[in-house]
């Protein structure tokens, strides 16, 4: 502990010492080229999708959808419901660790919930300072805190003190709300409070998910902090990954919608890394699209599918994942929610697969589960394969 620093509460680790412990445990992974994380995407990246994408390969770690923390100590069953991997040692069935993300603005309550979460065996705790959703921001969650680096620091420090020293505590942030003037302050506050890693989504809150991502601004933050930074935002292809690394200076990347549109993206990036620069310089029509063409499905319009685009996973294999996904969906969701979940994934898949675009067009107004299964797979759903929970 630094001289003059206050003593931590009895039984709680000092943030700096705990950060050193957690950072040492993950330093090998942090420095390894090709480290790819799967992003938390509220309402999309649930345990089923985490299972299917990590089954393909290439993902080093997942971060869960955020667990919203207000003024209540959540019971363990809430964490288990939202992150069922906690019942499997904090890993997907493929063995990929899942870090649980918390969102809120009450440092003490976040710390109490993190302490409870730590008893459930997570891979680590992540803190959300990047969600751009207005419903979240109105309640002082996610990116709404980016104008308050002092509060961000208090939250990270409180959570760091609340959990065992060996348990990683990381954070995810955007560049700012309406501008990036306080991005450096936020990153430095997160580092000083004891976080072992920071993922930076290279957009402002007001940008939502509109292209482009400003990867070069992450490079500026790297000059201001020493903790490992992970670049995130608009990584759809192997070529995007190469350019993001070059512009941000980060070797490690977090994949979001790109990995949902192409479940083999992480594996393809790792293959390109192993094959050198020639393999990374793939011929990919997606790389030549305009930013508007890659508008996210979260908003008005999705780009048309790109015939002939190089993808990490061929459609025949994607269709197998879709069938497993649909089988689980029909057994776990009420009928009125089933079609929407499938179409949500098809909307992103059609960015990379023309077959998905065709399927989406045919099923867009269909809600009957039996009809959907027969049109897409040629038969009715079977029993789902074993998944988390």
């Amino acid at each position: 502990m630094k001289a003059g620093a206050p003593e931590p509460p009895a039984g709680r680790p000092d943030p700096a010492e705990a950060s050193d412990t957690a950072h040492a445990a993950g330093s090998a992974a942090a420095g390894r080229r090709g480290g790819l994380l799967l992003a938390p995407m509220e309402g999309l990246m649930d345990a089923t999708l985490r299972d299917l994408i990590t089954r393909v390969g290439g993902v080093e770690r997942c971060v869960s959808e955020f667990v919203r923390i207000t003024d209540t100590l959540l019971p363990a069953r809430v964490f288990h419901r939202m992150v069922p991997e906690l019942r499997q040692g904090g890993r997907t069935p493929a063995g990929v660790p899942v870090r649980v993300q918390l969102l809120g603005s009450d440092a003490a309550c976040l710390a109490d919930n993190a302490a409870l979460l730590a008893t459930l065996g997570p891979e680590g705790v992540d803190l959300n300072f990047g969600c751009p959703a207005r419903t979240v921001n109105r309640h002082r969650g996610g990116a709404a805190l980016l104008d308050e680096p002092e509060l961000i620091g208090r939250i990270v420090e409180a959570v760091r003190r609340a959990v065992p020293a060996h348990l990683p505590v990381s954070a995810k942030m955007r560049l700012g709300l309406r501008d990036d003037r306080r991005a450096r302050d936020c990153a430095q506050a997160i580092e000083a409070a004891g976080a072992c890693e920071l993922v930076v989504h290279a957009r402002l809150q007001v940008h939502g998910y509109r292209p482009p991502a400003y990867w070069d601004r992450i490079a500026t933050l790297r000059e201001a902090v020493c903790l490992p930074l992970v670049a995130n935002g608009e990584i759809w292809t192997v070529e995007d990954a190469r350019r993001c690394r070059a512009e941000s200076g980060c070797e490690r990347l977090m994949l979001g919608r790109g990995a949902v549109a192409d479940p083999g993206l992480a594996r393809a990036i790792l293959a390109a890394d192993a094959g050198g620069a020639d393999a990374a310089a793939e011929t990919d029509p997606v790389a030549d699209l305009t930013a508007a063409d890659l508008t996210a499905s979260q908003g008005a319009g999705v780009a048309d599918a790109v015939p002939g685009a190089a993808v990490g996973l061929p459609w025949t294999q994607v269709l197998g994942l879709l069938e497993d996904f649909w089988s689980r969906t029909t057994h776990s969701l009420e009928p009125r929610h089933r079609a929407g979940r499938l179409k949500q994934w098809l909307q992103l898949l059609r960015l990379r697969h023309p077959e998905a675009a065709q399927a989406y067009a045919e099923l867009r107004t269909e809600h009957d589960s039996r009809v959907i299964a027969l049109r897409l797979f040629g038969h009715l759903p079977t029993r789902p394969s074993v998944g988390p929970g």
Side-chain angles (χ1 to χ4, degrees):
M1 192 186 326
K2 295 179 180 179
E7 290 289 337
R12 300 289 177 88
D14 173 71
E17 295 173 357
S19 177
D20 290 343
T21 302
H23 182 270
S27 59
R32 183 171 67 248
R33 181 172 179 82
L36 302 173
L37 313 185
L38 191 59
M41 289 174 277
E42 174 67 10
L44 177 62
M45 189 59 71
D46 60 5
T48 297
L49 208 49
R50 287 194 294 270
D51 173 25
L52 296 176
I53 292 177
T54 58
R55 187 191 302 174
V56 175
V59 175
E60 176 185 297
R61 186 176 74 239
C62 305
V63 179
S64 76
E65 297 173 278
F66 67 73
V67 180
R68 190 191 301 264
I69 306 298
T70 54
D71 57 356
T72 304
L73 182 62
L74 298 176
R77 67 176 182 275
V78 173
F79 291 104
H80 283 137
R81 183 182 74 247
M82 297 194 67
V83 192
E85 295 97 338
L86 289 171
R87 297 188 183 278
Q88 301 176 346
R91 294 175 179 268
T92 70
V96 177
V98 180
R99 191 168 293 183
V100 181
Q101 188 177 80
L102 305 181
L103 177 146
S105 58
D106 186 320
C109 198
L110 281 161
D112 289 342
N113 278 274
L116 172 63
L117 172 61
T119 68
L120 305 179
E123 185 276 341
V125 180
D126 189 70
L127 296 167
N128 183 320
F129 304 117
C131 178
R134 293 180 181 178
T135 52
V136 170
N137 298 161
R138 279 200 298 266
H139 295 89
R140 298 193 73 215
L145 303 185
L146 292 173
D147 275 347
E148 302 179 67
E150 299 83 4
L151 175 57
I152 286 177
R154 291 198 300 272
I155 289 172
V156 176
E157 181 175 3
V159 170
R160 177 66 274 172
R161 288 177 179 270
V163 302
H166 71 273
L167 196 68
V169 173
S170 56
K172 186 169 190 270
M173 61 174 272
R174 286 189 170 228
L175 295 174
L177 280 173
R178 298 166 191 82
D179 57 59
D180 63 355
R181 287 180 297 178
R182 306 216 70 180
R184 179 187 295 257
D185 295 335
C186 290
Q188 290 176 334
I190 289 168
E191 178 179 47
C196 66
E197 177 185 86
L198 174 60
V199 177
V200 181
H201 185 125
R203 279 185 274 233
L204 300 173
Q205 182 272 344
V206 295
H207 293 149
Y209 295 94
R210 296 190 304 275
Y214 300 90
W215 298 323
D216 60 307
R217 297 296 297 132
I218 300 177
T220 303
L221 294 182
R222 290 184 70 248
E223 298 174 357
V225 296
C226 295
L227 84 167
L229 296 191
V230 180
N232 173 232
E234 289 301 301
I235 303 171
W236 297 90
T237 67
V238 171
E239 174 60 19
D240 288 340
R242 185 196 65 77
R243 290 191 298 110
C244 179
R245 283 171 169 160
E247 293 183 26
S248 70
C250 297
E251 291 294 341
R252 306 184 80 216
L253 307 174
M254 176 173 274
L255 308 179
R257 292 166 298 140
V260 182
D262 177 9
L265 177 59
R267 193 173 68 179
I269 293 171
L270 290 191
D273 289 346
D278 291 340
E282 62 176 8
T283 301
D284 192 343
V286 174
D288 297 326
L289 294 179
T290 65
D293 289 330
L294 288 175
T295 299
S297 63
Q298 302 176 11
V302 181
D304 292 334
V306 185
V311 293
L313 202 67
W315 175 248
T316 53
Q317 294 182 40
V318 172
L319 192 61
L321 295 179
L322 270 171
E323 185 171 354
D324 195 346
F325 179 81
W326 181 242
S327 181
R328 295 192 203 180
T329 298
T330 56
H331 285 87
S332 62
L333 294 183
E334 296 181 13
R336 68 178 185 275
H337 297 309
R338 295 170 185 171
R341 284 291 285 133
L342 181 71
K343 294 170 190 176
Q344 184 184 36
W345 194 5
L346 281 174
Q347 277 191 311
L348 280 165
L349 285 171
R350 65 181 180 153
L351 291 169
R352 305 303 314 278
H353 298 274
E355 300 91 341
Q358 180 179 348
Y360 180 82
E362 293 176 356
L363 300 173
R364 186 171 61 86
T365 60
E366 185 57 65
H367 298 283
D368 187 297
S369 297
R370 294 171 62 89
V371 173
I372 289 174
L374 289 171
R375 286 187 182 177
L376 192 56
F377 310 117
H379 57 81
L380 297 177
T382 58
R383 293 295 303 176
S385 62
V386 176

